[in-house]
Amino acid sequence: QSLPFGGVKDSGFGRFAGVEGLRACCLVKAVVEDRWWPYVKTMIPKPIQYPVSENGFAFQQLLVETLYGISVWDRLQSLVNLLKMISEQKSPITRRKSR
């Protein structure tokens, strides 16, 4: 009786008026809120904000390596590379064409 599809006429009542019919009318969304006190806001790092920058994948890869690296040395090395990447983004180098 609780199958989402089946039957015709009155025996197909669960097809449209049941749980599965109601679920078809719903739109699933994810809502994320800050759980910190009111004056502290968490932010998404600039390289992975939409639209994703060209080095967004490398940034995310370094971030995962920093948090979940196998050894302490790997974590420290990726942290240094991550900090280098962030400092390069804050101070962009303007290139001049040589004549």
Side-chain angles (χ1 to χ4, degrees):
Q1 289 180 345
S2 63
L3 292 175
F5 300 104
V8 291
K9 296 185 185 176
D10 289 335
S11 64
F13 180 73
R15 184 182 305 189
F16 300 108
V19 177
E20 294 298 323
L22 183 60
R23 190 173 290 156
C25 297
C26 296
L27 179 63
V28 178
K29 290 185 179 182
V31 178
V32 179
E33 294 180 358
D34 285 333
R35 291 175 45 170
W36 301 96
W37 45 90
Y39 300 108
V40 175
K41 298 286 183 187
T42 56
M43 293 179 52
I44 298 174
K46 192 80 170 167
I48 56 176
Q49 284 182 358
Y50 186 80
V52 179
S53 65
E54 60 191 35
N55 60 352
F57 181 75
F59 177 83
Q60 194 167 1
Q61 198 171 21
L62 285 171
L63 187 62
V64 169
E65 181 70 28
T66 302
L67 297 173
Y68 303 107
I70 295 173
S71 67
V72 175
W73 176 251
D74 289 340
R75 289 181 184 183
L76 288 174
Q77 192 174 13
S78 62
L79 179 63
V80 168
N81 292 335
L82 187 67
L83 292 174
K84 283 181 186 177
M85 184 180 287
I86 291 172
S87 66
E88 288 172 359
Q89 287 181 351
K90 287 186 178 180
S91 60
I93 300 171
T94 55
R95 297 181 183 177
R96 295 181 183 175
K97 292 183 179 179
S98 59
R99 294 182 181 174

